[in-house]
Amino acid sequence: MLDIRLLRENRKLVEDALAKRGMSMSLKVFYDKDNKRLELLKRAEELKHKRNIISKDIGAKKSKSEDTAPLLEEVKGIGAEINTIQAALDGLETELNEFLMTVPNMPHSSVVYGKTSDDNPVVKTWGAKKEISFTPYTHDELAAGLGIIDFDRGVKVASSGFSVSIGHGALLERALINFFLDVHTKEQGYTELYVPYVVNGVSMTGTGQLPKFKQDLFKIEGEELYLIPTSEVPITNVHAKEILEKATLPLCYTAYSPCFRKEAGSYGKDTKGLIRQHQFNKVELVKFVEPEASYGELESLLLDAEEPLKRLGLHYRVVSLCSGDLGFSAAKTYDIEVWLPGQNEYREISSCSNFEDFQARRAGIKYRPAKGEKPAYVHTLNGSGLAIGRTVVAILENYQQEDQSVVIPEVLRPYMNGVTVLRPAKK
C-alpha cells in the first residue's frame, strides 16, 4: 500500500497517478476522514492540556485542605470525553487503513500513458516466427490428436477450466518445470523454495490479492485459508514482519507451484485449451532488494525470465505495460509475449513487475540500511519463469509438423526420457 504520508502531503501527485491509470476512484472519502481525525486529535490535545491545568489546581487546593470535589468531577468528565475521542480515532485509523488497501500503486515515471493492452509499447523482440508451410493447427487440436491432454475428463472430475495431462503430456509439463528450475537455480543464482499451496488472509493481503481480488480466489469453506493464485504470495510472505540485513540483499527465490484462479472477470474468454485454466503450473521468481537497486534488478529479472524461452527457440516480444493495463500492485511491468502460430498472435507467457515498497508496506518487510540506522522498507519484484501450460501451448504450436507430430526442442530432450518427437495416437 502507499505511504499514508504521501496521500496527506502530496494529494495532487496521488490523484494524477490514479488519473494516469484511468481510474475514477475518489480520494474525497479519505481526506474527509483524515480531516475529521485531525479535528479529533486537536480536541483531544486541548482536553489533555485542560486536564493538566485542573490537576495542578487540585494539587494546590489539596495542599490548602480546600474542597476538590467539583474539580475531580470535571477531570472525570474530561477523561470520559478523551476516551470517547480515542475510540473514534481508533475507528477512523482502521477505516483509513482499509481505504488505503484499495488504492493501487503509483505508476513509475517511465510507464507510458495508455488505456488498454493495445497501447503497450514493444521494447524488444527475440528470434523469428517459425516458418510453417501448411495451415497450422491450434494446440488443443494437436493435443487431442497426440492424446496428451484430455479436456473433457478435466470437466468430468472437476469443472470447466480444468484438464488432465496424459502420458507424454504430463511428462512434458514435468520436464519444463525441472528445466526452468535448473536454469534459475544452477545458473542464475536463485534459491529454490517449496512453499505451501494454501495461505491465510494476512498473506493474501500482504501481496495485494485481498481485498481487491477476493472474487478471483478459491477460499476454503469455513477457514480463513485460500488456494494460492501464484507462488509469489507464499514466497513474498516468507519474510513478512521481518527486518532483513542489508548484506543479505538481494534475496532471490524461485519456486514451482500449481496456481488456482477463478478468473471471475474473464468469463467467455479463452474457453478452449490451456490458455486460461483455473488450475495451472508455474515457476515463479521473486526478489527482495534495496530501493535504489530495484529498477536495475527488474531488468535483470526480465533477462532471467527470457532465458528459458531463448533456449527453447521460441520467438517472443517484450512489452512494457501502459498505465491503464498496469496491475493493482505494480509500479512497472514487462510482459513477455510468445508467438503462437496456431492462433496467429502473441500471448503473455511471463509478467515481470517491480512493486517498489507497495507489498513490503502491506506485509511489513524491512531491511536495515546500516548499523544503527532506522529500518526501511525493501522493494519486492516478481516474474513468471515461466507459465508451464502456456509454454506447452507454444511448443506444440511452434514445433508442429504437417502430420500433426510435434518435435521436442533439443534442450528439453534430457528431461523427456529420450523422447524426441510426439506422434499422433494410432487410431
Side-chain angles (χ1 to χ4, degrees), residues 172-213:
L172 181 57
E173 292 228 1
R174 178 156 52 91
L176 286 167
I177 292 166
N178 289 332
F179 167 55
F180 293 163
L181 288 174
D182 280 352
V183 171
H184 299 318
T185 58
K186 294 179 180 179
E187 301 179 34
Q188 296 173 343
Y190 289 81
T191 298
E192 184 179 356
L193 300 183
Y194 185 74
V195 293
Y197 300 161
V198 174
V199 296
N200 55 40
V202 173
S203 293
M204 284 290 195
T205 302
T207 44
Q209 277 74 26
L210 288 177
K212 177 75 172 175
F213 302 105

Side-chain angles (χ1 to χ4, degrees), residues 362-381:
R362 297 169 76 105
I365 309 169
K366 297 182 177 182
Y367 80 108
R368 201 177 305 281
K371 188 175 181 180
E373 287 190 19
K374 184 179 179 181
Y377 289 104
V378 299
H379 281 193
T380 61
L381 301 88

Side-chain angles (χ1 to χ4, degrees), residues 79-124:
E81 186 175 353
I82 289 173
N83 289 338
T84 300
I85 290 173
Q86 188 58 55
L89 282 170
D90 291 343
L92 280 171
E93 287 289 351
T94 298
E95 291 172 11
L96 287 169
N97 282 325
E98 287 175 350
F99 181 84
L100 271 178
M101 289 291 181
T102 68
V103 180
N105 203 352
M106 295 175 59
H108 186 257
S109 59
S110 64
V111 173
V112 303
Y113 173 76
K115 296 181 179 180
T116 69
S117 59
D118 293 334
D119 301 318
N120 294 339
V122 176
V123 297
K124 61 179 170 179

Side-chain angles (χ1 to χ4, degrees), residues 347-362:
R347 299 304 297 258
E348 177 201 334
I349 197 167
S350 174
S351 193
C352 298
S353 300
N354 186 353
F355 305 110
E356 297 186 354
D357 64 3
F358 190 84
Q359 291 182 330
R361 286 184 180 278
R362 297 169 76 105

Side-chain angles (χ1 to χ4, degrees), residues 1 44 49 69 96 143 160 178 190 197 233 279 296 326 330 375 405 407 412:
M1 63 190 208
H49 179 67
L96 287 169
S160 60
N178 289 332
Y190 289 81
Y197 300 161
V233 180
Q279 177 184 322
L326 204 59
S405 64
V407 176
L412 270 189

Side-chain angles (χ1 to χ4, degrees), residues 116-162:
T116 69
S117 59
D118 293 334
D119 301 318
N120 294 339
V122 176
V123 297
K124 61 179 170 179
T125 62
W126 184 89
K129 295 178 181 178
K130 292 278 187 182
E131 293 186 8
I132 298 178
S133 60
F134 54 92
T135 302
Y137 300 97
T138 61
H139 75 278
D140 48 304
E141 292 172 332
L142 291 162
L146 295 169
I148 60 173
I149 302 173
D150 194 318
F151 297 100
D152 292 337
R153 285 190 168 90
V155 173
K156 181 171 71 173
V157 301
S159 73
S160 60
F162 295 86

